[in-house]
PDB file of all heavy atoms in Angstrom:
ATOM      1  N   THR A   1      10.483  -2.946  -6.030  1.00 75.00           N
ATOM      2  CA  THR A   1      10.596  -4.285  -5.471  1.00 75.00           C
ATOM      3  C   THR A   1      11.896  -4.350  -4.691  1.00 75.00           C
ATOM      4  O   THR A   1      12.765  -3.489  -4.755  1.00 75.00           O
ATOM      5  CB  THR A   1      10.620  -5.328  -6.589  1.00 75.00           C
ATOM      6  OG1 THR A   1      11.814  -5.118  -7.368  1.00 75.00           O
ATOM      7  CG2 THR A   1       9.390  -5.301  -7.442  1.00 75.00           C
ATOM      8  N   ALA A   2      12.025  -5.467  -3.893  1.00 73.00           N
ATOM      9  CA  ALA A   2      13.219  -5.628  -3.074  1.00 73.00           C
ATOM     10  C   ALA A   2      14.457  -5.781  -3.916  1.00 73.00           C
ATOM     11  O   ALA A   2      15.541  -5.377  -3.532  1.00 73.00           O
ATOM     12  CB  ALA A   2      12.999  -6.825  -2.110  1.00 73.00           C
ATOM     13  N   TYR A   3      14.278  -6.408  -5.077  1.00 70.00           N
ATOM     14  CA  TYR A   3      15.415  -6.717  -5.925  1.00 70.00           C
ATOM     15  C   TYR A   3      16.051  -5.378  -6.454  1.00 70.00           C
ATOM     16  O   TYR A   3      17.223  -5.206  -6.666  1.00 70.00           O
ATOM     17  CB  TYR A   3      15.023  -7.538  -7.079  1.00 70.00           C
ATOM     18  CG  TYR A   3      16.155  -7.791  -8.082  1.00 70.00           C
ATOM     19  CD1 TYR A   3      17.204  -8.566  -7.775  1.00 70.00           C
ATOM     20  CD2 TYR A   3      16.084  -7.244  -9.363  1.00 70.00           C
ATOM     21  CE1 TYR A   3      18.256  -8.747  -8.652  1.00 70.00           C
ATOM     22  CE2 TYR A   3      17.062  -7.418 -10.234  1.00 70.00           C
ATOM     23  CZ  TYR A   3      18.203  -8.207  -9.953  1.00 70.00           C
ATOM     24  OH  TYR A   3      19.151  -8.365 -10.848  1.00 70.00           O
ATOM     25  N   LYS A   4      15.128  -4.304  -6.652  1.00 75.00           N
ATOM     26  CA  LYS A   4      15.596  -3.073  -7.213  1.00 75.00           C
ATOM     27  C   LYS A   4      15.888  -2.024  -6.079  1.00 75.00           C
ATOM     28  O   LYS A   4      16.219  -0.879  -6.357  1.00 75.00           O
ATOM     29  CB  LYS A   4      14.477  -2.469  -8.099  1.00 75.00           C
ATOM     30  CG  LYS A   4      14.153  -3.259  -9.308  1.00 75.00           C
ATOM     31  CD  LYS A   4      13.102  -2.634 -10.138  1.00 75.00           C
ATOM     32  CE  LYS A   4      12.800  -3.446 -11.428  1.00 75.00           C
ATOM     33  NZ  LYS A   4      11.654  -2.873 -12.166  1.00 75.00           N
ATOM     34  N   CYS A   5      15.843  -2.466  -4.836  1.00 81.00           N
ATOM     35  CA  CYS A   5      16.080  -1.476  -3.719  1.00 81.00           C
ATOM     36  C   CYS A   5      17.539  -1.060  -3.729  1.00 81.00           C
ATOM     37  O   CYS A   5      18.469  -1.896  -3.631  1.00 81.00           O
ATOM     38  CB  CYS A   5      15.705  -2.158  -2.384  1.00 81.00           C
ATOM     39  SG  CYS A   5      15.895  -1.060  -0.997  1.00 81.00           S
ATOM     40  N   ARG A   6      17.758   0.253  -3.793  1.00 75.00           N
ATOM     41  CA  ARG A   6      19.114   0.766  -3.796  1.00 75.00           C
ATOM     42  C   ARG A   6      19.756   0.930  -2.385  1.00 75.00           C
ATOM     43  O   ARG A   6      20.880   1.185  -2.238  1.00 75.00           O
ATOM     44  CB  ARG A   6      19.126   2.138  -4.511  1.00 75.00           C
ATOM     45  CG  ARG A   6      18.774   2.067  -5.919  1.00 75.00           C
ATOM     46  CD  ARG A   6      19.075   3.412  -6.673  1.00 75.00           C
ATOM     47  NE  ARG A   6      18.366   4.484  -6.107  1.00 75.00           N
ATOM     48  CZ  ARG A   6      18.515   5.792  -6.440  1.00 75.00           C
ATOM     49  NH1 ARG A   6      19.500   6.081  -7.306  1.00 75.00           N
ATOM     50  NH2 ARG A   6      17.848   6.764  -5.896  1.00 75.00           N
ATOM     51  N   LEU A   7      18.903   0.703  -1.377  1.00 75.00           N
ATOM     52  CA  LEU A   7      19.387   0.852  -0.026  1.00 75.00           C
ATOM     53  C   LEU A   7      19.729  -0.452   0.695  1.00 75.00           C
ATOM     54  O   LEU A   7      20.103  -0.462   1.856  1.00 75.00           O
ATOM     55  CB  LEU A   7      18.303   1.624   0.818  1.00 75.00           C
ATOM     56  CG  LEU A   7      17.917   2.993   0.327  1.00 75.00           C
ATOM     57  CD1 LEU A   7      16.792   3.540   1.189  1.00 75.00           C
ATOM     58  CD2 LEU A   7      19.126   3.973   0.408  1.00 75.00           C
ATOM     59  N   LYS A   8      19.630  -1.542  -0.037  1.00 70.00           N
ATOM     60  CA  LYS A   8      19.734  -2.869   0.615  1.00 70.00           C
ATOM     61  C   LYS A   8      21.089  -3.091   1.208  1.00 70.00           C
ATOM     62  O   LYS A   8      21.258  -3.897   2.167  1.00 70.00           O
ATOM     63  CB  LYS A   8      19.382  -3.992  -0.349  1.00 70.00           C
ATOM     64  CG  LYS A   8      20.282  -4.072  -1.585  1.00 70.00           C
ATOM     65  CD  LYS A   8      19.803  -5.225  -2.462  1.00 70.00           C
ATOM     66  CE  LYS A   8      20.681  -5.294  -3.729  1.00 70.00           C
ATOM     67  NZ  LYS A   8      20.264  -6.416  -4.657  1.00 70.00           N
ATOM     68  N   ASN A   9      22.119  -2.494   0.678  1.00 71.00           N
ATOM     69  CA  ASN A   9      23.475  -2.689   1.219  1.00 71.00           C
ATOM     70  C   ASN A   9      23.907  -1.505   2.202  1.00 71.00           C
ATOM     71  O   ASN A   9      25.059  -1.443   2.601  1.00 71.00           O
ATOM     72  CB  ASN A   9      24.476  -2.734   0.064  1.00 71.00           C
ATOM     73  CG  ASN A   9      24.349  -3.924  -0.800  1.00 71.00           C
ATOM     74  OD1 ASN A   9      24.010  -5.020  -0.239  1.00 71.00           O
ATOM     75  ND2 ASN A   9      24.537  -3.840  -2.095  1.00 71.00           N
ATOM     76  N   LYS A  10      22.968  -0.593   2.471  1.00 70.00           N
ATOM     77  CA  LYS A  10      23.297   0.479   3.353  1.00 70.00           C
ATOM     78  C   LYS A  10      22.526   0.581   4.602  1.00 70.00           C
ATOM     79  O   LYS A  10      22.753   1.432   5.466  1.00 70.00           O
ATOM     80  CB  LYS A  10      23.067   1.831   2.544  1.00 70.00           C
ATOM     81  CG  LYS A  10      23.934   2.006   1.339  1.00 70.00           C
ATOM     82  CD  LYS A  10      23.667   3.290   0.647  1.00 70.00           C
ATOM     83  CE  LYS A  10      24.572   3.474  -0.604  1.00 70.00           C
ATOM     84  NZ  LYS A  10      24.296   4.748  -1.239  1.00 70.00           N
ATOM     85  N   ILE A  11      21.471  -0.323   4.741  1.00 76.00           N
ATOM     86  CA  ILE A  11      20.647  -0.231   5.934  1.00 76.00           C
ATOM     87  C   ILE A  11      20.829  -1.360   6.858  1.00 76.00           C
ATOM     88  O   ILE A  11      21.269  -2.429   6.427  1.00 76.00           O
ATOM     89  CB  ILE A  11      19.139  -0.139   5.552  1.00 76.00           C
ATOM     90  CG1 ILE A  11      18.809  -1.294   4.499  1.00 76.00           C
ATOM     91  CG2 ILE A  11      18.878   1.213   4.859  1.00 76.00           C
ATOM     92  CD1 ILE A  11      17.387  -1.278   4.033  1.00 76.00           C
ATOM     93  N   PHE A  12      20.555  -1.162   8.123  1.00 72.00           N
ATOM     94  CA  PHE A  12      20.728  -2.130   9.147  1.00 72.00           C
ATOM     95  C   PHE A  12      19.447  -2.278   9.954  1.00 72.00           C
ATOM     96  O   PHE A  12      18.696  -1.274  10.149  1.00 72.00           O
ATOM     97  CB  PHE A  12      21.913  -1.884  10.081  1.00 72.00           C
ATOM     98  CG  PHE A  12      23.210  -2.040   9.472  1.00 72.00           C
ATOM     99  CD1 PHE A  12      23.790  -1.049   8.745  1.00 72.00           C
ATOM    100  CD2 PHE A  12      23.919  -3.266   9.535  1.00 72.00           C
ATOM    101  CE1 PHE A  12      25.029  -1.189   8.127  1.00 72.00           C
ATOM    102  CE2 PHE A  12      25.156  -3.414   8.919  1.00 72.00           C
ATOM    103  CZ  PHE A  12      25.717  -2.404   8.219  1.00 72.00           C
ATOM    104  N   CYS A  13      19.126  -3.406  10.470  1.00 78.00           N
ATOM    105  CA  CYS A  13      17.993  -3.626  11.298  1.00 78.00           C
ATOM    106  C   CYS A  13      18.351  -3.595  12.802  1.00 78.00           C
ATOM    107  O   CYS A  13      19.235  -4.302  13.257  1.00 78.00           O
ATOM    108  CB  CYS A  13      17.364  -5.031  11.019  1.00 78.00           C
ATOM    109  SG  CYS A  13      15.933  -5.469  12.004  1.00 78.00           S
ATOM    110  N   ARG A  14      17.617  -2.786  13.570  1.00 69.00           N
ATOM    111  CA  ARG A  14      17.904  -2.725  14.995  1.00 69.00           C
ATOM    112  C   ARG A  14      17.254  -3.916  15.758  1.00 69.00           C
ATOM    113  O   ARG A  14      17.650  -4.150  16.916  1.00 69.00           O
ATOM    114  CB  ARG A  14      17.250  -1.401  15.517  1.00 69.00           C
ATOM    115  CG  ARG A  14      17.860  -0.182  14.948  1.00 69.00           C
ATOM    116  CD  ARG A  14      17.218   1.068  15.555  1.00 69.00           C
ATOM    117  NE  ARG A  14      17.775   2.334  15.033  1.00 69.00           N
ATOM    118  CZ  ARG A  14      17.314   3.539  15.327  1.00 69.00           C
ATOM    119  NH1 ARG A  14      16.358   3.675  16.182  1.00 69.00           N
ATOM    120  NH2 ARG A  14      17.911   4.610  14.773  1.00 69.00           N
ATOM    121  N   ASN A  15      16.403  -4.582  15.115  1.00 71.00           N
ATOM    122  CA  ASN A  15      15.748  -5.718  15.778  1.00 71.00           C
ATOM    123  C   ASN A  15      16.660  -6.974  15.821  1.00 71.00           C
ATOM    124  O   ASN A  15      16.878  -7.560  16.809  1.00 71.00           O
ATOM    125  CB  ASN A  15      14.400  -6.022  15.112  1.00 71.00           C
ATOM    126  CG  ASN A  15      13.647  -7.154  15.822  1.00 71.00           C
ATOM    127  OD1 ASN A  15      13.718  -7.272  17.058  1.00 71.00           O
ATOM    128  ND2 ASN A  15      12.965  -7.939  15.041  1.00 71.00           N
ATOM    129  N   CYS A  16      17.227  -7.348  14.609  1.00 69.00           N
ATOM    130  CA  CYS A  16      18.046  -8.541  14.525  1.00 69.00           C
ATOM    131  C   CYS A  16      19.496  -8.227  14.247  1.00 69.00           C
ATOM    132  O   CYS A  16      20.311  -9.147  14.114  1.00 69.00           O
ATOM    133  CB  CYS A  16      17.494  -9.442  13.453  1.00 69.00           C
ATOM    134  SG  CYS A  16      17.534  -8.753  11.772  1.00 69.00           S
ATOM    135  N   ASN A  17      19.844  -6.956  14.077  1.00 65.00           N
ATOM    136  CA  ASN A  17      21.258  -6.504  13.784  1.00 65.00           C
ATOM    137  C   ASN A  17      21.796  -7.058  12.544  1.00 65.00           C
ATOM    138  O   ASN A  17      23.044  -7.244  12.473  1.00 65.00           O
ATOM    139  CB  ASN A  17      22.138  -6.907  15.068  1.00 65.00           C
ATOM    140  CG  ASN A  17      21.733  -6.194  16.343  1.00 65.00           C
ATOM    141  OD1 ASN A  17      21.358  -5.037  16.281  1.00 65.00           O
ATOM    142  ND2 ASN A  17      21.829  -6.923  17.450  1.00 65.00           N
ATOM    143  N   LEU A  18      20.994  -7.295  11.556  1.00 71.00           N
ATOM    144  CA  LEU A  18      21.467  -7.795  10.284  1.00 71.00           C
ATOM    145  C   LEU A  18      21.391  -6.654   9.228  1.00 71.00           C
ATOM    146  O   LEU A  18      20.538  -5.741   9.322  1.00 71.00           O
ATOM    147  CB  LEU A  18      20.669  -8.981   9.843  1.00 71.00           C
ATOM    148  CG  LEU A  18      20.760 -10.265  10.699  1.00 71.00           C
ATOM    149  CD1 LEU A  18      19.836 -11.347  10.148  1.00 71.00           C
ATOM    150  CD2 LEU A  18      22.188 -10.762  10.742  1.00 71.00           C
ATOM    151  N   LYS A  19      22.266  -6.833   8.212  1.00 70.00           N
ATOM    152  CA  LYS A  19      22.315  -5.867   7.167  1.00 70.00           C
ATOM    153  C   LYS A  19      21.296  -6.231   6.097  1.00 70.00           C
ATOM    154  O   LYS A  19      21.116  -7.372   5.759  1.00 70.00           O
ATOM    155  CB  LYS A  19      23.711  -5.759   6.585  1.00 70.00           C
ATOM    156  CG  LYS A  19      23.915  -4.774   5.492  1.00 70.00           C
ATOM    157  CD  LYS A  19      25.376  -4.815   5.052  1.00 70.00           C
ATOM    158  CE  LYS A  19      25.632  -3.803   3.946  1.00 70.00           C
ATOM    159  NZ  LYS A  19      27.049  -3.867   3.473  1.00 70.00           N
ATOM    160  N   GLY A  20      20.697  -5.186   5.411  1.00 75.00           N
ATOM    161  CA  GLY A  20      19.844  -5.448   4.306  1.00 75.00           C
ATOM    162  C   GLY A  20      18.378  -5.133   4.434  1.00 75.00           C
ATOM    163  O   GLY A  20      17.674  -5.159   3.479  1.00 75.00           O
ATOM    164  N   HIS A  21      17.953  -4.788   5.650  1.00 76.00           N
ATOM    165  CA  HIS A  21      16.532  -4.357   5.850  1.00 76.00           C
ATOM    166  C   HIS A  21      16.427  -3.492   7.109  1.00 76.00           C
ATOM    167  O   HIS A  21      17.400  -3.461   7.887  1.00 76.00           O
ATOM    168  CB  HIS A  21      15.601  -5.588   5.934  1.00 76.00           C
ATOM    169  CG  HIS A  21      15.878  -6.471   7.133  1.00 76.00           C
ATOM    170  ND1 HIS A  21      16.813  -7.426   7.124  1.00 76.00           N
ATOM    171  CD2 HIS A  21      15.279  -6.471   8.393  1.00 76.00           C
ATOM    172  CE1 HIS A  21      16.853  -8.061   8.308  1.00 76.00           C
ATOM    173  NE2 HIS A  21      15.940  -7.518   9.066  1.00 76.00           N
ATOM    174  N   VAL A  22      15.269  -2.878   7.283  1.00 78.00           N
ATOM    175  CA  VAL A  22      15.119  -2.048   8.482  1.00 78.00           C
ATOM    176  C   VAL A  22      14.161  -2.714   9.489  1.00 78.00           C
ATOM    177  O   VAL A  22      13.551  -3.741   9.188  1.00 78.00           O
ATOM    178  CB  VAL A  22      14.500  -0.661   8.078  1.00 78.00           C
ATOM    179  CG1 VAL A  22      15.492   0.107   7.227  1.00 78.00           C
ATOM    180  CG2 VAL A  22      13.189  -0.854   7.282  1.00 78.00           C
ATOM    181  N   GLU A  23      14.073  -2.113  10.657  1.00 74.00           N
ATOM    182  CA  GLU A  23      13.325  -2.762  11.750  1.00 74.00           C
ATOM    183  C   GLU A  23      11.861  -2.937  11.403  1.00 74.00           C
ATOM    184  O   GLU A  23      11.259  -3.944  11.800  1.00 74.00           O
ATOM    185  CB  GLU A  23      13.518  -1.867  12.994  1.00 74.00           C
ATOM    186  CG  GLU A  23      12.805  -2.470  14.269  1.00 74.00           C
ATOM    187  CD  GLU A  23      13.051  -1.599  15.465  1.00 74.00           C
ATOM    188  OE1 GLU A  23      13.663  -0.536  15.302  1.00 74.00           O
ATOM    189  OE2 GLU A  23      12.617  -1.913  16.560  1.00 74.00           O
ATOM    190  N   SER A  24      11.278  -2.009  10.651  1.00 75.00           N
ATOM    191  CA  SER A  24       9.833  -2.059  10.400  1.00 75.00           C
ATOM    192  C   SER A  24       9.420  -3.225   9.579  1.00 75.00           C
ATOM    193  O   SER A  24       8.246  -3.581   9.547  1.00 75.00           O
ATOM    194  CB  SER A  24       9.389  -0.752   9.800  1.00 75.00           C
ATOM    195  OG  SER A  24      10.057  -0.549   8.519  1.00 75.00           O
ATOM    196  N   VAL A  25      10.370  -3.775   8.801  1.00 74.00           N
ATOM    197  CA  VAL A  25      10.033  -4.870   7.938  1.00 74.00           C
ATOM    198  C   VAL A  25      10.858  -6.148   8.272  1.00 74.00           C
ATOM    199  O   VAL A  25      11.102  -6.970   7.496  1.00 74.00           O
ATOM    200  CB  VAL A  25      10.262  -4.516   6.436  1.00 74.00           C
ATOM    201  CG1 VAL A  25       9.314  -3.454   5.978  1.00 74.00           C
ATOM    202  CG2 VAL A  25      11.737  -4.049   6.254  1.00 74.00           C
ATOM    203  N   CYS A  26      11.227  -6.244   9.534  1.00 73.00           N
ATOM    204  CA  CYS A  26      12.056  -7.400   9.984  1.00 73.00           C
ATOM    205  C   CYS A  26      11.240  -8.652   9.898  1.00 73.00           C
ATOM    206  O   CYS A  26      10.152  -8.699  10.404  1.00 73.00           O
ATOM    207  CB  CYS A  26      12.577  -7.178  11.366  1.00 73.00           C
ATOM    208  SG  CYS A  26      13.653  -8.508  11.927  1.00 73.00           S
ATOM    209  N   PHE A  27      11.790  -9.694   9.284  1.00 60.00           N
ATOM    210  CA  PHE A  27      11.022 -10.957   9.072  1.00 60.00           C
ATOM    211  C   PHE A  27      11.013 -11.792  10.335  1.00 60.00           C
ATOM    212  O   PHE A  27      10.380 -12.805  10.411  1.00 60.00           O
ATOM    213  CB  PHE A  27      11.724 -11.805   7.965  1.00 60.00           C
ATOM    214  CG  PHE A  27      11.343 -11.355   6.612  1.00 60.00           C
ATOM    215  CD1 PHE A  27      12.317 -11.250   5.625  1.00 60.00           C
ATOM    216  CD2 PHE A  27      10.043 -10.958   6.310  1.00 60.00           C
ATOM    217  CE1 PHE A  27      12.005 -10.848   4.360  1.00 60.00           C
ATOM    218  CE2 PHE A  27       9.761 -10.490   5.051  1.00 60.00           C
ATOM    219  CZ  PHE A  27      10.714 -10.478   4.073  1.00 60.00           C
ATOM    220  N   LYS A  28      11.708 -11.367  11.396  1.00 54.00           N
ATOM    221  CA  LYS A  28      11.649 -12.108  12.667  1.00 54.00           C
ATOM    222  C   LYS A  28      10.318 -11.979  13.324  1.00 54.00           C
ATOM    223  O   LYS A  28       9.946 -12.734  14.177  1.00 54.00           O
ATOM    224  CB  LYS A  28      12.833 -11.640  13.582  1.00 54.00           C
ATOM    225  CG  LYS A  28      14.141 -12.271  13.200  1.00 54.00           C
ATOM    226  CD  LYS A  28      15.106 -12.297  14.300  1.00 54.00           C
ATOM    227  CE  LYS A  28      16.350 -13.107  13.957  1.00 54.00           C
ATOM    228  NZ  LYS A  28      17.263 -13.264  15.083  1.00 54.00           N
ATOM    229  N   GLU A  29       9.652 -10.853  12.990  1.00 48.00           N
ATOM    230  CA  GLU A  29       8.217 -10.703  13.478  1.00 48.00           C
ATOM    231  C   GLU A  29       7.332 -11.491  12.550  1.00 48.00           C
ATOM    232  O   GLU A  29       7.301 -11.211  11.347  1.00 48.00           O
ATOM    233  CB  GLU A  29       7.890  -9.247  13.430  1.00 48.00           C
ATOM    234  CG  GLU A  29       8.746  -8.356  14.344  1.00 48.00           C
ATOM    235  CD  GLU A  29       8.620  -8.682  15.796  1.00 48.00           C
ATOM    236  OE1 GLU A  29       7.427  -9.165  16.118  1.00 48.00           O
ATOM    237  OE2 GLU A  29       9.469  -8.534  16.642  1.00 48.00           O
ATOM    238  N   GLN A  30       6.572 -12.359  13.081  1.00 40.00           N
ATOM    239  CA  GLN A  30       5.685 -13.253  12.255  1.00 40.00           C
ATOM    240  C   GLN A  30       4.685 -12.419  11.499  1.00 40.00           C
ATOM    241  O   GLN A  30       4.209 -12.855  10.431  1.00 40.00           O
ATOM    242  CB  GLN A  30       4.962 -14.264  13.144  1.00 40.00           C
ATOM    243  CG  GLN A  30       5.932 -15.268  13.731  1.00 40.00           C
ATOM    244  CD  GLN A  30       6.561 -16.121  12.653  1.00 40.00           C
ATOM    245  OE1 GLN A  30       5.986 -16.467  11.707  1.00 40.00           O
ATOM    246  NE2 GLN A  30       7.795 -16.447  12.891  1.00 40.00           N
ATOM    247  N   LYS A  31       4.294 -11.256  11.999  1.00 40.00           N
ATOM    248  CA  LYS A  31       3.331 -10.404  11.253  1.00 40.00           C
ATOM    249  C   LYS A  31       3.921  -9.944   9.969  1.00 40.00           C
ATOM    250  O   LYS A  31       3.148  -9.813   9.003  1.00 40.00           O
ATOM    251  CB  LYS A  31       2.968  -9.179  12.135  1.00 40.00           C
ATOM    252  CG  LYS A  31       2.277  -9.571  13.474  1.00 40.00           C
ATOM    253  CD  LYS A  31       2.048  -8.276  14.242  1.00 40.00           C
ATOM    254  CE  LYS A  31       1.371  -8.623  15.582  1.00 40.00           C
ATOM    255  NZ  LYS A  31       1.132  -7.425  16.417  1.00 40.00           N
ATOM    256  N   GLN A  32       5.150  -9.748   9.938  1.00 41.00           N
ATOM    257  CA  GLN A  32       5.750  -9.250   8.695  1.00 41.00           C
ATOM    258  C   GLN A  32       5.814 -10.320   7.626  1.00 41.00           C
ATOM    259  O   GLN A  32       5.915  -9.991   6.389  1.00 41.00           O
ATOM    260  CB  GLN A  32       7.182  -8.694   8.956  1.00 41.00           C
ATOM    261  CG  GLN A  32       7.207  -7.637   9.992  1.00 41.00           C
ATOM    262  CD  GLN A  32       6.644  -6.320   9.544  1.00 41.00           C
ATOM    263  OE1 GLN A  32       6.256  -6.235   8.401  1.00 41.00           O
ATOM    264  NE2 GLN A  32       6.464  -5.429  10.467  1.00 41.00           N
ATOM    265  N   LEU A  33       5.868 -11.580   8.015  1.00 38.00           N
ATOM    266  CA  LEU A  33       5.967 -12.649   7.042  1.00 38.00           C
ATOM    267  C   LEU A  33       4.803 -12.633   6.076  1.00 38.00           C
ATOM    268  O   LEU A  33       4.986 -12.871   4.880  1.00 38.00           O
ATOM    269  CB  LEU A  33       6.051 -13.969   7.768  1.00 38.00           C
ATOM    270  CG  LEU A  33       7.395 -14.258   8.487  1.00 38.00           C
ATOM    271  CD1 LEU A  33       7.253 -15.605   9.215  1.00 38.00           C
ATOM    272  CD2 LEU A  33       8.551 -14.277   7.586  1.00 38.00           C
ATOM    273  N   GLN A  34       3.589 -12.415   6.584  1.00 39.00           N
ATOM    274  CA  GLN A  34       2.399 -12.434   5.748  1.00 39.00           C
ATOM    275  C   GLN A  34       2.377 -11.181   4.847  1.00 39.00           C
ATOM    276  O   GLN A  34       1.972 -11.216   3.714  1.00 39.00           O
ATOM    277  CB  GLN A  34       1.136 -12.433   6.610  1.00 39.00           C
ATOM    278  CG  GLN A  34       1.079 -13.666   7.526  1.00 39.00           C
ATOM    279  CD  GLN A  34       1.054 -15.001   6.728  1.00 39.00           C
ATOM    280  OE1 GLN A  34       0.589 -15.019   5.643  1.00 39.00           O
ATOM    281  NE2 GLN A  34       1.632 -16.036   7.302  1.00 39.00           N
ATOM    282  N   MET A  35       2.876 -10.059   5.391  1.00 38.00           N
ATOM    283  CA  MET A  35       2.804  -8.759   4.659  1.00 38.00           C
ATOM    284  C   MET A  35       3.765  -8.774   3.468  1.00 38.00           C
ATOM    285  O   MET A  35       3.490  -8.256   2.432  1.00 38.00           O
ATOM    286  CB  MET A  35       3.109  -7.616   5.584  1.00 38.00           C
ATOM    287  CG  MET A  35       2.849  -6.243   4.971  1.00 38.00           C
ATOM    288  SD  MET A  35       3.247  -4.948   6.168  1.00 38.00           S
ATOM    289  CE  MET A  35       2.142  -5.346   7.506  1.00 38.00           C
ATOM    290  N   TYR A  36       4.933  -9.377   3.662  1.00 38.00           N
ATOM    291  CA  TYR A  36       5.964  -9.312   2.651  1.00 38.00           C
ATOM    292  C   TYR A  36       6.269 -10.684   2.080  1.00 38.00           C
ATOM    293  O   TYR A  36       7.397 -10.972   1.730  1.00 38.00           O
ATOM    294  CB  TYR A  36       7.251  -8.725   3.192  1.00 38.00           C
ATOM    295  CG  TYR A  36       7.039  -7.328   3.808  1.00 38.00           C
ATOM    296  CD1 TYR A  36       6.921  -7.184   5.184  1.00 38.00           C
ATOM    297  CD2 TYR A  36       6.859  -6.236   2.976  1.00 38.00           C
ATOM    298  CE1 TYR A  36       6.686  -5.929   5.733  1.00 38.00           C
ATOM    299  CE2 TYR A  36       6.672  -5.017   3.501  1.00 38.00           C
ATOM    300  CZ  TYR A  36       6.575  -4.834   4.871  1.00 38.00           C
ATOM    301  OH  TYR A  36       6.354  -3.660   5.410  1.00 38.00           O
ATOM    302  N   ASP A  37       5.334 -11.540   2.049  1.00 39.00           N
ATOM    303  CA  ASP A  37       5.486 -12.918   1.487  1.00 39.00           C
ATOM    304  C   ASP A  37       5.966 -12.875   0.065  1.00 39.00           C
ATOM    305  O   ASP A  37       5.352 -12.185  -0.801  1.00 39.00           O
ATOM    306  CB  ASP A  37       4.180 -13.689   1.574  1.00 39.00           C
ATOM    307  CG  ASP A  37       4.355 -15.136   1.079  1.00 39.00           C
ATOM    308  OD1 ASP A  37       5.447 -15.484   0.896  1.00 39.00           O
ATOM    309  OD2 ASP A  37       3.269 -15.762   0.972  1.00 39.00           O
TER     310      ASP A  37
END
């Protein structure tokens, strides 16, 4: 789960430039919202 993710403080998103997730699961894409609700 996301709570147990050990990489959450080490990864950055190229899409929104925020720390804590990668580009493939960026919530700024509306498609991802349904997948990772």
Side-chain angles (χ1 to χ4, degrees):
T1 63
Y3 176 69
K4 295 179 181 179
C5 183
R6 295 192 299 172
L7 299 175
K8 62 182 180 181
N9 293 323
K10 296 182 179 180
I11 52 181
F12 290 86
C13 177
R14 295 180 182 178
N15 183 33
C16 62
N17 296 322
L18 294 178
K19 184 179 179 181
H21 64 276
V22 295
E23 183 179 4
S24 61
V25 293
C26 181
F27 282 138
K28 283 204 170 182
E29 298 293 333
Q30 292 297 322
K31 295 178 182 179
Q32 303 291 353
L33 289 176
Q34 302 298 328
M35 188 180 301
Y36 304 101
D37 183 10

